[in-house]
Every structure is written in structure tokens, then in C-alpha cells.
Amino acid sequence: MMLVSLSTVFHFGFHSSSNHSHSLRINKYKATQQASEDWYRKPQLPRQTLQRRQSYAERSIALPGYEQDDSNESGAALSITDDHILSRNTSALPPLVRALKASAEENVATFHFPGHNRGHAAPPSLTSLIGIRPYIHDLPELPELDNLFCPQGPILEAQTEAAKLFGASQTWFLVGGTTCGIQAAIMATCSPGEFLILPRNCHISAISAMVLSGAVPKYIVPDYKNDWDIAGGVTPSQVLKAMQELEREGKKAAAVFITSPTYHGICSNLREISELCHSRKIPFIVDEAHGGHLGFHSEFPNSALQQGADLTVQSTHKVLCSLTQSSMLHMSGNTVDKENISRCLQTLQTTSPSYLLLASLDAARAQLSESPDIVFNQAIKLAYEARCMLKRIPGISVLESSTFSTSPAIDPLRLTVGFWQLGLSGYEADEILYRDHGIVCELVGNKYITYAFNLGTCGDHVQRLLSGIKNVATTHAYIRQPEERRHTKHTPFDDIMMSLIPRDAFFASKRKVTAMESIGEVSAELICPYPPGIPVLIPGEVITKEAINYLLHARSEGADISGASDPSLSSIVVCNI
């Protein structure tokens, strides 16, 4: 690769003998970018951005001997050649993807962050794994790429297109995962001291949101199946009961927060819950992290927005196809002040968002919008066939909607399989399936394994899964467990006694004590065994003997203890009050 001196650049740029070829190169580049210029001409864009973008296009001249080297393991300089620029139909790209492509392909002298400088100094150890292109497109908040917190160009256009597709009045792109979306939704609706109705098995982001907002929790304990060690959804009657209990005390919930679908795909009756909320003018928030695909096929349950939710947060990277960590927050109607949402997101999200993550959200939206009615046909077919085949295997249990009579539906793309009749725990079965068949699951519990089907699921992998599970059932004796062993002796309890709100417990001084010494103290930790995934200790609650016994039992059964500073439970952190 030839290095170009400053004198050569100067001579190349101004010597008259080269002017004709330079003009051809510029015109050629401009022609390929014509389609992507449309959004730059929109009147809402700042004038300096338009001028900068047009100026860049005029100065985009590829230097002789300065070609792209995809491997770039030496960290040498690189650029994009004309042939590469002409190789794609720019007009067919989604708006933010189009803008990112155009900006990355400009031949400019760069003196901005990030430090790898468009791949010039990309670490060879990673480029050898993923190539140089992610680095070339890892750009900062350049004017032509728009501003996440004040979108006026391609980000605004991309978010508007997403809102149309998902049926929202407004959509925000998230680079901090669904966590920051849940935090923003709760912070925007709950002020310090106000009550939030939510399930006890909510995601930890809802607890952290109460720490940030100062909201007071009003917990609902969801339906729970002992034989599966799985919690179900929340019923409208449970929400109504929580509302009425507050009303009898002369109080009112500032918001209702529901998780639907759950990790296992179990859905709640959101339509009736939304009617309850709206009859009392209470904002309704749904953690729909696992349901970005809902509503796009007749076999799917309706989405939260279709059922009347005011705010819903989706992990677009789960079943849909954006990059991990990218999510969307959707709003419907005007129950919640959208400016409050924007302010909260600006507080919570990074001021240096990844445009790769943002562009992947735009790309995932475009992918889904091409054929939303049929894009999931193959995944649904494969999941249905797998479910039918597994139900025929002796000793294998399959979670179905009938398991939870209060749940209106289970996501058909979530397949949960029980192994307890074979005398195997989920952990043991998963180890065998991974070791002998190379099968990687989404979630493993004491009695089950959950498999996630998606747009990338292929028939060969499903056949491997079926063959593997059949082999496990064949090689292990069909042992129907005695009734007392099939059911968990300890179940999540609802004798909650709160001494401090989560925010006060978070900021309180703390100390470590033994598990037995913690009884009667106020928990400073959120401790949640998986399975079943229901928090047993939440900051601010009084620790009971039943809670400690349940945790110790869950740990002895092989559950992972999440949130505890000491996962062995030899010690527990409590508040000094």
C-alpha cells in the first residue's frame, strides 16, 4: 500500500493535468449518492449540516494508491474505492442506514473520535474476527448523522417509520437496551412518593427505576406453577385489587407496570388491564422486551399497543434482528407527556450513542416492514412442528397455554420443555444436549429448558433439537416421579412487609450479616433465584425466615442466585436502620 505525502496531495488536488479525471470521479460519486441526498434537503435540517454534507460530497476524491484493505491487521490507512461505492443501490436502504453508509464512504481527513479513526487503528485481534467494516461505520455524532436527543434528520425519519410500523404515536430508539426504556417510562410517570403497581417478578430494571424515581412499589404476586417452577402473568383482577387497596387508603397509583410476555412467553390480558387503568386515568406501561414481534401474524397474540398500552418497551434484538443492546420505546396516545420521556431518556442514555446500534434498529424495522404478514411463517411452522413432535416423546413435558388458565396466550415462538419425568433437572438435560448434540438453549431452569425460535431458526437445527431430546428420553429410563418430588415443597410467598422504599434502601448505610442473622433485618439487596425468577428479597423489605429457607432450598436445587453480593448466601447485605 503506497503512502501519500502532503506534497503529493497538494499537487494532486491542484495540478491542472489531473482536473478532468478528478471531476469525473466527483461526478461519479455524486451520481451514486443522489438518492441519499433527498433527506438532507429537508427544511428542518440545520443549514450548517446541509452545507457540510454538500461540501463533503464535492471534496470526496479518492487518492491514488489509497485503497481499502479489508484485513487491515497492520492498522494502515484505508479508504473506500469507487467500485465499492457503486456496488449498492443506496436508494433502497433505510434512512439511517443510508446516512451511515454515505458518511462512512466520504473521503475526508478525520480528526474526531473514536480513537480507531474509522478503522485506521482498529485492533487486529478483533478485525481478524469481524473484519474492518464495523469499524469503518463506527462513527460519532456527526452533523449529517443527526442527534439522538434532538433528531431532525435520518434518526427522526427512522423513528417515524418505526412508529408507523408498530402502531405508535411516537417511537424512541434506545442504545441502552430495554433497561433504559423501562427506567425512562417509570421515571416519566412516577414522582417521588407516588405508587407504582407492578408484579413481584418484574425485571431488575423496574427496581432500579424505583430507586431513580423514588416511586413506592405496590407489588402483585403472579400465578405460579409448582410443577414447572414458572411464574405466570398478571390478571386484571389482581390489578383491580391493588388499585382498590390503594384507594381505600386514599391513594392512587401513578402508573401500572406489567411484564408481558414473560421470558417463557406467557402473556397477560393487557386489554382488560388497560381498560382498568384508563378508567382511572392511570398510565399503563408494558415491559414487552420479549414481544417485539407480537401482532405481526395471526398466530401471535396482539401487541401491547394493540391492547391499549400507553408505553411499551421492546428488545428489538431478541426475536427481531437488530444488534444486541438496541431496543425501542413506543408511546400511544397522549396520556404520558412525551417531553418527559425525552428528558428522562436524555438523562439515562449515553451522549455518545453507537450508530451501528441505531442503524441496526432502522434495518430491523425495514426488514420486518417488507413482508410483515408472512415473514414469520417459517419460524411459526418450525415451532409448531417441534411442539407436536416433542409431545409424542414419553417422559417429555411441553408448556402450553392451558398450563396457566388465567393466561390468554403463550408466544408460539417460545418452546419450554420439562424433563422431570425422566428424573433429570433442566440443568442436567441441558448439559447432555450441549455436550452430545451441540444444542444451545435460551434459558435453563431446575425443571425445564426454554428454546427461542426466531427469523433465523432453520429446519436442520430444529431436527437436531428433536433428535437430541429424543435421544435423552431414550437413554434415560422413563421414571415418573412421585407426586411429592414432582412439586416444589417451597413456593414463592406473598407475605411482603416493606420497611423502606427501594430508593431509601439503596442509599442507606449497610452491613453484611450471616443468613440466619439477617432474619428480621431490612434487605439491602435484590435477591432472585433462577428458577423461578421471582424476587425473594427486594431492597427495603423485612427478611423473614421463610424467605431465607426458600432461598437456601432453591440454591440446593441448583438455582442460580442473582443479585446477591454473596451467591453462596453465607452472608446477606442489610440496611442499618
Side-chain angles (χ1 to χ4, degrees), residues 200-202 207 219 224 490-497 523 525-555 559-562 569 572:
R200 193 176 165 83
N201 64 329
C202 63
I207 307 298
Y219 292 118
Y224 179 78
H490 303 274
T491 58
F493 45 86
D494 57 2
D495 53 338
I496 302 166
M497 189 187 329
S523 176
E525 299 184 289
L526 178 111
I527 302 181
C528 184
Y530 286 90
I534 294 178
V536 175
L537 296 180
I538 291 179
E541 292 182 355
V542 177
I543 301 172
T544 64
K545 183 178 180 180
E546 290 75 15
I548 295 300
N549 288 340
Y550 178 82
L551 284 171
L552 294 174
H553 172 78
R555 182 176 174 275
D560 292 325
I561 305 300
S562 170
L569 298 179
I572 292 177

Side-chain angles (χ1 to χ4, degrees), residues 240-253 280 282:
L240 177 60
K241 179 183 177 183
M243 289 176 171
Q244 291 174 338
E245 286 177 355
L246 288 175
E247 290 168 357
R248 283 195 290 270
E249 299 173 5
K251 301 167 184 174
K252 178 184 175 181
R280 290 167 166 78
I282 299 173

Side-chain angles (χ1 to χ4, degrees), residues 226-344:
N226 292 354
D227 50 348
W228 281 93
D229 265 2
I230 288 176
V234 170
T235 66
S237 61
Q238 288 176 316
V239 175
L240 177 60
K241 179 183 177 183
M243 289 176 171
Q244 291 174 338
E245 286 177 355
L246 288 175
E247 290 168 357
R248 283 195 290 270
E249 299 173 5
K251 301 167 184 174
K252 178 184 175 181
V256 171
F257 175 89
I258 301 295
T259 302
S260 180
T262 66
Y263 210 148
H264 305 93
I266 302 164
C267 299
S268 296
N269 188 337
L270 301 182
R271 188 174 301 281
E272 289 190 19
I273 295 174
S274 71
E275 291 172 357
L276 283 173
C277 292
H278 295 156
S279 67
R280 290 167 166 78
K281 297 183 179 180
I282 299 173
F284 182 34
I285 307 167
V286 178
D287 173 359
E288 202 173 28
H290 291 272
H293 58 295
L294 298 188
F296 286 102
H297 195 282
S298 59
E299 294 294 320
F300 292 157
N302 285 335
S303 71
L305 288 179
Q306 290 170 333
Q307 296 185 70
D310 299 300
L311 295 172
T312 179
V313 194
Q314 299 172 339
S315 293
T316 318
H317 63 271
K318 292 192 186 300
V319 178
L320 303 182
C321 303
S322 67
L323 292 175
T324 297
Q325 193 178 313
S326 59
S327 296
M328 294 187 192
L329 168 58
H330 305 293
M331 183 176 77
S332 179
N334 55 10
T335 301
V336 181
D337 185 351
K338 67 179 182 180
E339 298 302 327
N340 276 350
I341 296 290
S342 295
R343 280 190 291 270
C344 291

Side-chain angles (χ1 to χ4, degrees), residues 350-361:
T350 176
T351 55
S352 301
S354 165
Y355 277 84
L356 289 173
L357 295 181
L358 293 172
S360 79
L361 288 168

